[in-house]
Amino acid sequence: MEHRTAPERAALLGEQVTDLAADIDSGRTDSAAAYKLVREADLLRLLVPRGAGGEGLSFLEYTLILELIGAADTPTALGLNMHYVAIGSLCESGDRPLTGAAREFRSWVFDQVVHHGRMFASATSEAGSGAKLQRLSTTYRRCDGGYVLSGRKSFVSLAGVADYFIVAARNADDDAEREISHFVVAGDDPGVRIEGVWPGNAMAGTSTASMVLDDVRVQRARLMMNVEGMSLFKLVQEPHWMTSGYTGAYLGLAAAVHGLIIESVARDPRRSTDPVVRHELGRLNAEVRAVRALVHAAAGAVGEQRGTVETAEAVHAAKYKVGELLADLVSAAVRICGTAALSRGRPLERRLREAAYCRVMPAKPDECLEYLGKAAIGLDMHDVRNFDW
């Protein structure tokens, strides 16, 4: 693997997980098998700066890799993205000089990923509030040498797979709901329990479950960047880590669904010669191309103008349009393809079930439109009071 480029390794991984996808979807194979392949493909250090032993890819290059893997197996792409949701902002700080405990924290994370092959994941979402940081019920309180975390997280991807989880919590002794902190919790720390595997009708490959934090003690050194209360403010400045990775993975899914629709029509002489069907395929082709251009432009903006409202607008617009494209493709597949293509267990049928979840991943359609609407009328989107997260 070491002599292959990241896209080449991702392409090979795509071939491997394609063979596993149906068995993982049906429960015949555990999703951990896919992430064993992810580790073997050496895809956990893509965004870690070169100076720290990583590959230092740009956000656009990363998005293209998610798109490639997402076309092969979307749950695996989403799981890989959760690793970077957890460490991505840290990777982006790689060219910024830090001092003291913050520098030590960053060095420790990079060392765990690069030299020990550790996988990180995010534990943010909670029942009833989703991933909105301002509505968290999970709390932390200070203790000698560190903190004690208590609460319950729902919809934790890579549960039972990741080595570490970045847990979002609010200060139990402070009423300021906007002062949220993140902590690194190991999957085998005392008081951490994984339970209640999510019984979805798709996306089994994300290895999603609930996480219980029962008075989990963490050292001061495991506070993200050694700074309390800054998580929401960081998200307001740079929301792409809670949104854009999903966009790349789901763009890959859209491309896969589009390709399977075309294959189904091409095999049917009656449909392939129907001018109405041909026009519909042409329209879908134009839509896929337009959304891909928007997604790539937004990803490029993250690398060139990270932190600007204009980039955040592009990120939200891209996520919204990918969701709309998938809904359009699902509707078209039902209209155009024969019942055989939609039979349970067929690749197209599984992809259509997976497509529905784009709308529940951050940011949801209404959240994207609200952000774009507020920005359009000139509200300060760097002010947390205008950012409903």
Side-chain angles (χ1 to χ4, degrees):
M1 286 286 185
E2 62 186 60
H3 299 299
R4 293 191 174 103
T5 65
E8 289 172 340
R9 300 197 309 273
L12 178 58
L13 173 68
E15 295 173 5
Q16 295 171 324
V17 295
T18 296
D19 296 334
L20 283 174
D23 285 343
I24 292 175
D25 178 65
S26 65
R28 292 190 296 270
T29 298
D30 190 276
S31 60
Y35 297 108
K36 180 176 184 294
L37 295 173
V38 168
R39 293 177 192 263
E40 292 173 353
D42 193 20
L43 294 176
L44 299 182
R45 58 186 185 93
L46 297 177
L47 293 173
V48 175
R50 287 190 177 92
E55 297 190 53
L57 297 191
S58 70
F59 196 84
L60 175 56
E61 291 171 322
Y62 168 67
T63 298
L64 293 173
I65 284 178
L66 284 183
E67 184 180 345
L68 193 159
I69 300 172
D73 183 46
T74 308
T76 300
L78 291 171
L80 176 61
N81 179 59
M82 291 310 299
H83 170 70
Y84 289 105
V85 167
I87 70 168
S89 62
L90 202 62
C91 293
E92 288 175 340
S93 77
D95 59 354
R96 190 179 311 155
L98 299 176
T99 59
R103 181 183 61 199
E104 292 174 6
F105 176 85
R106 184 173 66 183
S107 296
W108 176 78
V109 171
F110 289 166
D111 178 69
Q112 289 296 302
V113 173
V114 172
H115 297 115
H116 300 280
R118 302 291 191 251
M119 181 177 281
F120 285 71
S122 174
T124 298
S125 295
E126 296 181 359
S129 61
K132 291 183 180 292
L133 295 182
Q134 296 187 62
R135 302 177 188 174
L136 292 181
S137 61
T138 299
T139 61
Y140 72 89
R141 63 182 187 274
R142 299 182 185 94
C143 66
D144 290 341
Y147 306 89
V148 177
L149 279 63
S150 300
R152 184 183 184 92
K153 298 295 185 179
S154 63
F155 218 74
V156 177
S157 296
L158 299 181
V161 174
D163 302 286
Y164 297 106
F165 297 86
I166 306 296
V167 177
R170 61 178 178 83
N171 191 336
D173 301 319
D174 193 331
D175 292 332
E177 63 180 10
R178 295 188 177 98
E179 295 188 2
I180 306 300
S181 302
H182 279 83
F183 304 85
V184 177
V185 173
D188 58 357
D189 276 346
V192 176
R193 296 199 314 276
I194 300 298
E195 59 182 36
V197 176
W198 176 61
N201 71 331
M203 312 305 287
T206 58
S207 189
T208 298
S210 297
M211 172 185 285
V212 177
L213 301 154
D214 187 7
D215 289 340
V216 177
R217 300 179 71 90
V218 296
Q219 299 174 353
R220 171 81 186 185
R222 295 299 173 260
L223 169 64
M224 189 78 166
M225 298 297 280
N226 202 46
V227 179
E228 286 187 57
M230 292 301 293
S231 296
L232 181 60
F233 299 93
K234 175 71 172 175
L235 175 61
V236 168
Q237 293 288 326
E238 301 172 2
H240 55 278
W241 278 116
M242 289 299 289
T243 300
S244 284
Y246 298 110
T247 305
Y250 278 111
L251 178 61
L253 175 59
V257 172
H258 183 222
L260 289 169
I261 291 173
I262 292 172
E263 288 180 16
S264 177
V265 171
R267 289 194 300 266
D268 187 331
R270 179 178 61 83
R271 290 187 175 89
S272 62
T273 56
D274 186 330
V276 174
V277 173
R278 287 178 174 177
H279 289 171
E280 180 68 350
L281 291 182
R283 184 187 69 81
L284 292 174
N285 189 302
E287 291 296 324
V288 170
R289 288 173 178 271
V291 174
R292 180 179 288 118
L294 178 60
V295 170
H296 291 176
V302 169
E304 297 167 5
Q305 297 177 306
R306 187 173 72 245
T308 67
V309 171
E310 290 77 11
T311 294
E313 286 183 273
V315 163
H316 283 83
K319 175 59 167 60
Y320 175 75
K321 292 302 291 184
V322 166
E324 293 297 293
L325 172 63
L326 278 169
D328 191 4
L329 287 166
V330 169
S331 177
V334 173
R335 293 195 311 271
I336 296 174
C337 300
T339 54
L342 300 175
S343 299
R344 178 79 178 184
R346 297 295 294 272
L348 180 57
E349 183 272 339
R350 172 169 51 82
R351 300 296 177 77
L352 298 188
R353 282 188 282 115
E354 293 170 350
Y357 290 91
C358 179
R359 288 174 171 258
V360 301
M361 299 295 184
K364 297 177 183 177
D366 60 320
E367 295 164 348
C368 291
L369 294 179
E370 181 180 15
Y371 188 97
L372 291 168
K374 287 179 176 179
I377 61 176
L379 294 183
D380 181 3
M381 299 311 292
H382 283 161
D383 186 333
V384 295
R385 293 170 296 184
N386 294 325
F387 197 73
D388 184 25
W389 201 277

